[in-house]
């Protein structure tokens, strides 16, 4: 199995890279979806816990690669995209399958990422710059910076959406 593991800070454009994979018919799993589904089923919201706090708590209880292990249960086919890898422990979990793992990091400047997160208005969107910085710090504490630093391919997402989609599609073609 070829596995394309996508990483990056919140709002960098991982979902846009994934959309190029979807257009190419590559099966995928969003690690964030795995987390949000587990969070919804856990009742943690009633306890006042945020999705991010829940994800971190699960890592403490079950190990730093728990979300990778849960994502692996959803994988199939000869090529697969994993969106939202946060640590090298997760990468090692994917590699333990014997898969040909390639890490693609998506990068955008913090000011651009902040604007994107606010505009997409998802439940976990920051209400202010302090919340954005706190989320970035949490993500970095999980090890996402190391995964970005050790990536095989760096996709800079600072130009137009069309240009980024074209670059993403070209990279996906080369990885097939």
């Amino acid at each position: 199995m070829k596995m394309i593991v996508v990483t990056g800070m919140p709002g960098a454009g991982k979902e846009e890279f994934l959309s190029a994979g979807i257009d190419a018919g590559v099966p995928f799993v969003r690690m964030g979806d795995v987390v949000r589904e587990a969070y919804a089923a856990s009742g943690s919201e009633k306890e006042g816990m945020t999705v991010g706090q829940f994800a971190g708590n699960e890592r403490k209880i079950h190990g730093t690669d728990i979300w990778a292990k849960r994502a692996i249960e959803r994988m199939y086919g000869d090529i697969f995209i994993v969106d939202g890898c946060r640590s090298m422990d997760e990468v090692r979990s994917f590699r333990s399958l014997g898969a040909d793992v390639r890490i693609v990091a998506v990068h955008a400047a913090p000011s651009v990422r902040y604007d994107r997160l606010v505009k997409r208005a998802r439940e976990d969107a920051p209400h202010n710059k302090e919340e954005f910085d706190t989320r970035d710090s949490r993500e970095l504490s999980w090890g996402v910076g190391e995964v970005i630093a050790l990536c095989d391919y760096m996709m800079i997402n600072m130009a137009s959406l069309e240009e980024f989609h074209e670059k993403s599609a070209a990279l996906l073609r080369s990885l097939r």
Side-chain angles (χ1 to χ4, degrees):
M1 169 186 278
K2 286 186 177 185
M3 191 178 305
I4 301 166
V5 175
V6 184
T7 191
M9 297 298 288
K14 297 179 297 292
E15 182 72 27
E16 296 305 332
F17 181 86
L18 178 62
S19 71
I22 292 168
D23 290 347
V26 179
F28 67 93
V29 64
R30 290 180 188 92
M31 291 184 70
D33 288 349
V34 176
V35 171
R36 284 184 287 276
E37 288 168 18
Y39 173 75
S42 73
S44 295
E45 185 176 13
K46 293 176 186 157
E47 297 172 21
M49 191 179 288
T50 66
V51 174
Q53 290 167 335
F54 170 77
N57 194 49
E58 289 290 289
R59 285 181 176 95
K60 287 177 189 169
I61 294 169
H62 302 288
T64 55
D65 63 344
I66 185 58
W67 297 113
K69 288 177 179 175
R70 292 177 180 171
I72 285 169
E73 297 170 0
R74 301 177 184 207
M75 294 181 187
Y76 58 92
D78 296 332
I79 185 168
F80 200 89
I81 297 176
V82 179
D83 173 47
C85 180
R86 296 289 189 269
S87 74
M88 287 307 295
D89 288 335
E90 292 174 348
V91 172
R92 283 185 281 279
S93 243
F94 298 136
R95 287 183 174 148
S96 74
L97 299 173
D100 175 12
V101 176
R102 297 287 180 241
I103 302 170
V104 175
V106 181
H107 176 76
S111 60
V112 171
R113 294 188 302 104
Y114 177 78
D115 289 343
R116 288 176 182 164
L117 291 171
V118 170
K119 286 178 186 169
R120 79 178 180 197
R122 217 169 60 185
E123 177 182 312
D124 59 352
H127 294 97
N128 54 52
K129 187 75 166 80
E130 184 179 330
E131 282 184 17
F132 173 80
D133 291 342
T134 298
R135 182 175 180 187
D136 271 4
S137 293
R138 183 182 67 233
E139 298 270 342
L140 290 167
S141 77
W142 291 337
V144 71
E146 183 180 14
V147 183
I148 293 168
L150 297 175
C151 72
D152 299 298
Y153 305 93
M154 176 69 72
M155 301 289 296
I156 305 300
N157 184 13
M158 297 287 291
S160 72
L161 186 57
E162 296 77 25
E163 182 180 331
F164 185 69
H165 279 190
E166 288 172 15
K167 288 180 181 180
S168 298
L171 177 59
L172 284 165
R173 282 190 301 275
S174 76
L175 291 174
R176 290 194 114 172

